[in-house]
Amino acid sequence: MAVRKTYLAVIGAALLLGGCSFSSEALWPTLAGEGNDATESSAMMADTSGADATTSSDVTRSTQPLTGMSQTGTFVGSRVENMQAELNRLKVALNEHNNELQQLRAQTVRNSQAYHGTVAAISARLQVGTTPGNPVLVQQWNTAQQELDRVNDDIAAMNSLANNVAADSTLSTFLLESVRSAYQVSGAVDEDHRQLALLEDETNRTTVLIDRLLNEISEGLARQTSYVSNERANLNALALAVKNGEIFGDALSKRVFQSQAAPAPASSMSSSNDRPLVVIRFDSPSVKYEQALYNAVNRVLERRPQASFDVVAVTPNRGTPAQVALNSNKSKRNAQSVLRSLTDMGMPSTRVRVSDATSASVSANEVHVFVR
């Protein structure tokens, strides 16, 4: 039990980071019989068929109240009655929690569909071309963020459900131990032991169902938490695209983490001697560099998903010391702008280093981006 509680604690902490996979595979069968709500939830998870359909009838029977116990008038018989009532309450709770899970799944599907529909509308408008900072797209972006927040709220509700099911799991284990210990109590008749055997079997089956539900919720939490985290990065990249009025693509973090290859060996590149990946010359008040920067970094990550980058503010080494110092401050601000652009595109800040240098070979403030 300690292992299970620890695992749930980890899942709860992961929720704070913001994941969601909307697989329609409902491994946990509907327990609520033929009710309308259960039917609607099952329809949302359309892939539930085959072996799951066979299991569903078994599970439905297992969650029916345990009946047929007769009073024997012994002390053990009274304990059997109490444990039977406790088991039936546990089965009712199990049914309620399963129904809640099905409703949460259906609700998450609806919220995610709304979110993806809004994001698709923004991307389509950007693809055909639009003005920078188009207020219609800004409003749609705000709507998408609200819809993603609702998906995150579904994860919070699922985390609360996981805690309730974990409490049921603890109770089922305690109940099973109580049933087994009752065999050792003196003064029982044969009928008491027959009923204890039935009670033990039913408690075992219920414990298995609770553990299955708990595992499904835990796996769903991990998937959905990861999903929401990735979509937050995609929304940040989309915000930059709306600001510039041109589409970039998926967040760079998707490139960074989609490969499981080992890290490439560190290179001996130095910012002053090696050829930069991108040179951004800030020789006018407004320099549009984001699309070219995104394309260049994205191509590198396609070949080397583990690559990191150096952003170097380069200042002309000309003029008086005061002029050089003034240009250096401007160049550093430009480098910070490039860093913000990279992080908005989804590049983790831990993968980017910022530094500054002076050079006699440049005539204006520049920012050089190197691969390392």
Side-chain angles (χ1 to χ4, degrees):
M1 290 305 301
V3 174
R4 182 182 296 114
K5 291 178 180 176
T6 302
Y7 182 64
L8 283 173
V10 172
I11 293 300
L15 178 61
L16 299 178
L17 302 178
C20 194
S21 170
F22 303 111
S23 170
S24 58
E25 295 179 1
L27 301 179
W28 177 260
T30 300
L31 306 183
E34 301 297 327
N36 290 335
D37 290 342
T39 303
E40 292 175 4
S41 297
S42 297
M44 294 300 298
M45 307 300 168
D47 289 345
T48 304
S49 58
D52 284 341
T54 303
T55 307
S56 180
S57 59
D58 296 336
V59 170
T60 303
R61 286 194 300 270
S62 296
T63 54
Q64 295 301 314
L66 178 61
T67 58
M69 299 291 193
S70 59
Q71 297 180 351
T72 61
T74 66
F75 173 73
V76 174
S78 65
R79 289 192 60 181
V80 167
E81 291 180 25
N82 292 335
M83 289 186 290
Q84 176 189 3
E86 193 65 38
L87 176 60
N88 286 337
R89 283 194 291 270
L90 190 61
K91 289 186 173 189
V92 170
L94 176 60
N95 254 323
E96 291 175 350
H97 293 153
N98 175 71
N99 290 336
E100 184 178 352
L101 174 61
Q102 305 309 324
Q103 291 168 6
L104 280 174
R105 281 175 165 169
Q107 180 174 295
T108 301
V109 168
R110 291 192 296 269
N111 290 336
S112 64
Q113 287 174 340
Y115 164 75
H116 285 291
T118 304
V119 169
I122 297 173
S123 299
R125 186 68 173 268
L126 289 170
Q127 186 172 354
V128 299
T130 186
T131 57
N134 187 323
V136 174
L137 297 189
V138 171
Q139 179 59 43
Q140 288 179 324
W141 187 92
N142 290 332
T143 300
Q145 187 175 48
Q146 294 169 2
E147 290 163 347
L148 190 60
D149 286 341
R150 283 193 283 271
V151 175
N152 197 58
D153 291 341
D154 295 339
I155 299 176
M158 189 174 292
N159 188 66
S160 177
L161 176 61
N163 292 332
N164 293 334
V165 177
D168 289 346
S169 181
T170 302
L171 178 59
S172 68
T173 301
F174 173 76
L175 182 60
L176 188 59
E177 292 173 354
S178 299
V179 172
R180 289 170 176 170
S181 66
Y183 283 105
Q184 310 303 321
V185 178
S186 61
V189 297
D190 290 344
E191 179 62 16
D192 289 332
H193 278 204
R194 187 191 71 82
Q195 294 184 15
L196 281 173
L198 290 175
L199 195 58
E200 182 180 11
D201 290 343
E202 285 296 310
T203 305
N204 265 322
R205 280 192 285 270
T206 303
T207 300
V208 169
L209 294 176
I210 292 174
D211 287 345
R212 183 193 300 177
L213 180 60
L214 190 59
N215 289 336
E216 284 200 20
I217 295 174
S218 298
E219 292 171 0
L221 277 171
R223 288 194 306 270
Q224 295 183 22
T225 300
S226 175
Y227 172 84
V228 168
S229 178
N230 291 337
E231 287 305 315
R232 293 284 184 207
N234 286 334
L235 266 185
N236 287 338
L238 195 60
L240 185 62
V242 170
K243 175 184 175 183
N244 288 276
E246 56 183 347
I247 195 166
F248 294 124
D250 289 332
L252 293 176
S253 56
K254 185 174 183 180
R255 289 287 186 195
V256 171
F257 296 115
Q258 70 184 359
S259 173
Q260 300 300 319
S267 69
S268 58
M269 285 185 178
S270 71
S271 299
S272 59
N273 297 327
D274 295 317
R275 182 178 179 182
L277 173 69
V278 176
V279 175
I280 306 171
R281 183 171 292 104
F282 288 88
D283 54 0
S284 65
S286 178
V287 178
K288 297 189 65 175
Y289 61 85
E290 284 91 350
Q291 185 68 68
L293 177 64
Y294 176 88
N295 292 339
V297 172
N298 191 50
R299 284 196 299 269
V300 170
L301 292 175
E302 286 178 354
R303 300 191 301 269
R304 292 176 51 192
Q306 305 298 331
S308 297
F309 299 87
D310 285 325
V311 175
V312 183
V314 181
T315 306
N317 189 12
R318 299 177 182 176
T320 65
Q323 289 174 328
V324 172
L326 182 60
N327 285 331
S328 178
N329 289 335
K330 291 181 180 178
S331 187
K332 289 176 183 178
R333 288 198 296 270
N334 293 335
Q336 289 298 324
S337 296
V338 173
L339 173 62
R340 283 195 299 272
S341 294
L342 285 172
T343 54
D344 287 344
M345 293 172 187
M347 174 62 65
S349 59
T350 55
R351 306 283 290 274
V352 185
R353 250 178 359 196
V354 180
S355 60
D356 63 281
T358 58
S359 173
S361 62
V362 299
S363 58
N365 289 336
E366 296 180 354
V367 172
H368 296 184
V369 179
F370 295 86
V371 181
R372 55 181 168 87

